[in-house]
Amino acid sequence: AGVHQVSEIETRAVSDFCFSHSNIAIVFTFSSNDNLMNPWKKEQRQSQLLQEQPTQRRRGIMEDEEQLPRFITSVLDEDEPYYTYISKQYKEITKLKDAPPSTKGEGSFAYWAYYQFGRWSFAVNPWWIPDIDQKKDSTEPDLSKTLPRGERNALESDKMKFKTSEEKPDEYSDQIKALKWLDKNMINDGFIKWTKIRHKDFPDKEVEVGGFKPYVVSNPPADSIDVIAARQNSFIAWLSSKLPKVKITNIKIDQIEGKVFRLKVNVTNTGYFPTISAIGNKVRWPRNIKVTLELGKGQTLAGGKTKMVLEPIKGNGGSKEIAWLIVSKSGEPVTLTAESPMAGKDIQKIILK
């Protein structure tokens, strides 16, 4: 909301912190821009819409196509299944339900963390005004049951017609629900009665002040915070177990002839998430896995590189195979390191024999 993006010192401080900590793999935000109860879904992009237009229609607008916005405004196809799965697990772990709709958050921290910072970004509204159960008084007779069958059927038919054709959602339903909740919980100062006042900026106007106190319908009551925290902590602990994790596996050594050895390994991701999300690979901020081969004295490399950066590796056992040709005496060691700020580090000392 300032003169330019990240113009305010508070938001600049947060973005500076993010960019100076390359080990951040996931960003979790408490926000109305919820994507855990209401997971992000991919949307059709303008380029896809153009491709689906009839050929003659496309010809007429091709000249304007270059001027169409190229911004990514929807979760990428490759990332969507992860948001769907994590959302399902969140609901099962927290047992939360009946969440309000998510608000769009262009420019919010949760959106920035995904679209600009290139990290997995999860956001959830930790609390909302709960529904007040309207239990029917069991002692109140249902008079409709005393009617003859024909009249009773006609009454039910009229009810259904009214419900489907005339009943409209009340634009004030959320406020009414909040008022009922305040009454039930005896929060007497949560809503201030509208009162006429004289306002110096509007001397000839009728001005009233009142309504809900700031944040009373969005911030949870203090005595519920421990329960909320316990639910969220359980999920965050589970989420942290799904981070990408790099491992050097399937180490194979073949002596080609004499002092020439072929070393072959797999760099494997044993975590659930890929080493970098699809959006992260596009924005190029997150760092890929770097593999380093350290040779000892008298050893030389006949094939391969001592340092290389790998493309993103899928989770759940995805891997990349790498091979080297090394000239060395039998029984001599080499050191192999695979590391990523977000996926950890694995070091293996390998004896060539």
Side-chain angles (χ1 to χ4, degrees):
V3 294
H4 58 77
Q5 294 91 334
V6 202
S7 61
E8 307 308 298
I9 58 173
E10 297 87 354
T11 49
R12 178 59 183 264
V14 173
S15 65
D16 285 348
F17 178 89
C18 289
F19 284 119
S20 64
H21 289 76
S22 56
N23 60 325
I24 295 174
I26 293 177
V27 174
F28 182 88
T29 313
F30 289 118
S31 166
S32 60
N33 311 132
D34 159 49
N35 65 3
L36 283 172
M37 295 298 290
N38 302 285
W40 282 342
K41 299 293 183 183
K42 62 184 178 182
E43 300 171 0
Q44 260 188 332
R45 293 195 209 162
Q46 188 69 46
S47 58
Q48 292 174 313
L49 292 173
L50 283 172
Q51 292 172 6
E52 293 175 3
Q53 297 290 334
T55 304
Q56 61 271 23
R57 167 70 175 155
R58 287 209 310 270
R59 285 175 184 157
I61 56 177
M62 282 300 252
E63 59 186 22
D64 298 328
E65 186 175 354
E66 292 303 318
Q67 300 176 9
L68 291 171
R70 301 294 180 180
F71 304 117
I72 297 173
T73 58
S74 169
V75 62
L76 296 186
D77 295 3
E78 302 93 325
D79 292 339
E80 184 193 30
Y82 294 95
Y83 281 96
T84 301
Y85 173 75
I86 297 299
S87 169
K88 181 180 178 181
Q89 298 307 309
Y90 176 83
K91 294 173 186 176
E92 290 184 2
I93 292 171
T94 63
K95 308 301 182 187
L96 293 172
K97 57 182 181 179
D98 301 324
S102 174
T103 61
K104 274 282 189 180
E106 292 91 340
S108 71
F109 181 61
Y111 275 55
W112 176 87
Y114 177 76
Y115 290 98
Q116 278 76 44
F117 189 46
R119 265 46 171 205
W120 298 103
S121 178
F122 297 102
V124 73
N125 191 352
W127 179 84
W128 52 87
I129 295 288
D131 287 322
I132 305 298
D133 293 332
Q134 299 293 333
K135 294 184 179 179
K136 185 177 179 181
D137 186 353
S138 59
T139 62
E140 181 181 342
D142 186 354
L143 297 179
S144 67
K145 292 183 178 179
T146 65
L147 296 172
R149 181 184 297 273
E151 293 183 29
R152 190 162 69 241
N153 291 343
L155 177 63
E156 291 299 325
S157 177
D158 288 343
K159 285 182 179 179
M160 289 303 296
K161 287 179 182 177
F162 175 79
K163 187 171 184 179
T164 56
S165 63
E166 297 181 20
E167 187 176 4
K168 295 181 180 179
D170 187 348
E171 60 179 310
Y172 300 108
S173 59
D174 288 340
Q175 296 182 38
I176 293 171
K177 182 173 74 171
L179 288 171
K180 290 179 178 179
W181 179 81
L182 291 172
D183 287 342
K184 182 178 180 181
N185 291 273
M186 294 181 289
I187 304 176
N188 300 322
D189 62 345
F191 185 91
I192 306 303
K193 184 178 179 180
W194 289 98
T195 306
K196 292 182 180 180
I197 65 165
R198 297 185 65 180
H199 199 292
K200 64 178 183 179
D201 293 340
F202 307 97
D204 301 322
K205 300 289 184 180
E206 187 175 278
V207 178
E208 292 185 350
V209 295
F212 290 99
K213 275 195 170 181
Y215 310 115
V216 73
V217 296
S218 57
N219 276 357
D223 59 4
S224 67
I225 291 177
D226 286 345
V227 175
I228 293 171
R231 282 177 169 173
Q232 304 299 335
N233 286 344
S234 296
F235 169 74
I236 292 173
W238 173 86
L239 184 64
S240 67
S241 70
K242 300 299 178 182
L243 292 174
K245 190 173 184 180
V246 64
K247 287 286 184 183
I248 298 172
T249 61
N250 298 332
I251 301 173
K252 295 180 181 179
I253 305 168
D254 296 315
Q255 188 169 6
I256 305 302
E257 62 173 275
K259 296 182 178 181
V260 180
F261 294 86
R262 178 187 291 115
L263 171 62
K264 188 184 294 183
V265 304
N266 280 24
V267 178
T268 303
N269 176 14
T270 61
Y272 167 72
F273 285 103
T275 53
I276 293 180
S277 64
I279 192 71
N281 198 41
K282 277 186 174 294
V283 302
R284 301 182 184 180
W285 280 115
R287 297 182 187 174
N288 280 301
I289 293 174
K290 182 175 72 172
V291 178
T292 305
L293 177 68
E294 296 181 36
L295 302 175
K297 187 176 180 180
Q299 295 175 325
T300 58
L301 195 61
K305 299 178 180 179
T306 56
K307 293 182 181 180
M308 63 184 74
V309 177
L310 305 182
E311 292 293 315
I313 302 176
K314 294 181 179 180
N316 293 326
S319 65
K320 300 281 187 182
E321 186 180 78
I322 313 174
W324 297 266
L325 287 177
I326 304 170
V327 179
S328 170
K329 292 180 181 179
S330 180
E332 292 294 316
V334 295
T335 302
L336 189 61
T337 303
E339 59 186 324
S340 159
M342 299 186 301
K345 177 190 288 189
D346 190 21
I347 302 175
Q348 295 289 335
K349 191 172 183 178
I350 302 167
I351 306 299
L352 301 176
K353 62 179 181 178

